[in-house]
Amino acid sequence: MTGYQQLIREGMARLGRVGAADPRHVEGWMRLEHGCLDGLSPTQFAAEVMIALGCVDAAPTADSERLAQSMGL
C-alpha cells in the first residue's frame, strides 16, 4: 500500500466510508485529474477523495480496476 493509499483510507474513514472502495481505485480516479497528488493541500486531497469515491460508485468495478492497473497501482 502506498502512502497515498493510506491517506485515502484515512479520508474514507473520516467520511464514514470505511471499506467503501479499494484505495487503489480511488487513487486511480484522483490521478486522472491530478497526475501528481503531492501538490494538493490536505483540504483539496480530502475533497478529491470524495469526488473519486463518487466515480468509483458510478463506474463498474472492472473499469476502476483497469484504471488502477493502467497507472501501475
Side-chain angles (χ1 to χ4, degrees):
M1 179 175 295
T2 68
Y4 289 127
Q5 290 165 22
Q6 183 59 39
L7 290 173
I8 289 166
R9 286 175 55 111
E10 292 168 8
M12 290 191 317
R14 281 191 293 280
L15 293 169
R17 305 248 352 239
V18 173
D22 183 331
R24 295 172 35 257
H25 296 172
V26 175
E27 184 178 349
W29 285 105
M30 290 173 71
R31 286 183 178 279
L32 276 180
E33 181 69 23
H34 306 280
C36 179
L37 302 178
D38 285 345
L40 298 176
S41 71
T43 302
Q44 290 171 313
F45 192 91
E48 292 299 325
V49 168
M50 196 169 4
I51 292 166
L53 281 170
C55 294
V56 169
D57 290 343
T61 303
D63 289 355
S64 293
E65 180 60 26
R66 276 192 298 276
L67 175 61
Q69 287 179 3
S70 75
M71 295 190 179
L73 304 173

